[in-house]
Amino acid sequence: MNPDDDAALRKIRLAVAATETGAVLFSGSDTSTQFDRGCDHVCALLRDAYTLFMAGSFPTAVFLSITAIEEIAKLEIAAFRQPGRTVPAKRRNDDHLYSHKLKHAMALQEVIAIGTRLPAAIGETRVRELLDMSESGGLVALRESALYAENVDGQFLCPHDRIDRALAREMLLLALEVWDDRLVGLTNHTYALDGELVAMFDAVARP
């Protein structure tokens, strides 16, 4: 499928801006080790999301999948923030890593549309919808509905009323694809982790 060139430019600009302003996350000389520890953390989130998905706990699996996407964006941006290059944010809102919506947009870069395994698993139309949701705030709303009971149009709904297996499957596959797209290859450790996550993707992608 084809990427949206305008969306690609917007998302790249967001990521560049995020590297230029905000808090430096890694400190000292062992930044590669800290990055790898962050990747272990993301892998743990994805592993937990997979375990919950397989157990039928679909709303919590969705929440953890979206959290993993946010942490992937954080790690990638953190790898490019440096003292002397990155300006501290004057206000919290000036740091893109404090916005769920902006982290979703930065993580779901349009290069995802070029890949083949996610469209093969959930369809090109759905991949495009998810990419668009990253900018519209749709993933933020989904994140909230995965956690909280609320009244929607006069009806009391719990997370399990709104999130089913199909949606949880899509979000877990999306998170695994984002991991592969944004972090795999940045260090040797990401390759060591990736075998387990590829196996997860294959298991969830099977009909």
Side-chain angles (χ1 to χ4, degrees):
M1 60 182 291
N2 296 321
D4 181 323
D5 292 339
D6 291 336
L9 185 58
R10 288 193 301 271
K11 293 175 181 181
I12 290 170
R13 284 174 173 167
L14 276 178
V16 171
T19 68
E20 295 173 344
T21 303
V24 174
L25 277 73
F26 301 144
S27 59
S29 59
D30 63 339
T31 56
S32 180
T33 299
Q34 293 170 60
F35 176 84
D36 285 344
R37 287 174 53 211
C39 289
D40 289 337
H41 161 59
V42 169
C43 186
L45 289 172
L46 292 168
R47 187 183 299 117
D48 289 349
Y50 173 79
T51 300
L52 288 165
F53 173 80
M54 298 302 287
S57 185
F58 302 130
T60 312
V62 166
F63 175 75
L64 288 179
S65 296
I66 295 175
T67 301
I69 288 171
E70 294 170 359
E71 291 293 85
I72 289 166
K74 181 189 295 181
L75 281 177
E76 184 179 22
I77 296 303
F80 293 96
R81 285 186 176 180
Q82 300 174 4
R85 176 187 179 278
T86 303
V87 178
K90 294 181 180 179
R91 302 174 304 166
R92 182 184 177 98
N93 288 345
D94 293 333
D95 188 333
H96 288 0
L97 294 186
Y98 284 106
S99 166
H100 293 299
K101 180 180 177 181
L102 295 182
K103 283 186 286 188
H104 299 162
M106 290 187 290
L108 271 67
Q109 295 287 336
E110 287 293 310
V111 69
I112 290 174
I114 300 174
T116 58
R117 68 173 189 171
L118 188 61
I122 67 175
E124 292 185 2
T125 299
R126 186 55 175 159
V127 172
R128 171 47 54 197
E129 289 173 352
L130 294 175
L131 286 169
D132 292 346
M133 284 172 66
S134 73
E135 291 192 284
S136 69
L139 293 183
V140 177
L142 178 58
R143 179 185 184 277
E144 299 299 300
S145 67
L147 277 183
Y148 304 115
E150 57 184 331
N151 189 294
V152 179
D153 297 328
Q155 184 179 7
F156 176 73
L157 297 175
C158 292
H160 69 265
D161 297 318
R162 307 175 71 182
I163 295 175
D164 60 10
R165 183 185 186 280
L167 181 53
R169 175 179 177 272
E170 291 171 346
M171 293 311 303
L172 179 52
L173 290 173
L174 177 66
L176 290 164
E177 185 73 4
V178 171
W179 151 266
D180 183 76
D181 175 54
R182 306 316 310 163
L183 299 184
V184 174
L186 295 185
T187 66
N188 289 335
H189 186 60
T190 59
Y191 289 118
L193 296 174
D194 196 42
E196 176 187 0
L197 301 183
V198 168
M200 286 183 198
F201 187 101
D202 291 343
V204 177
R206 284 194 293 268

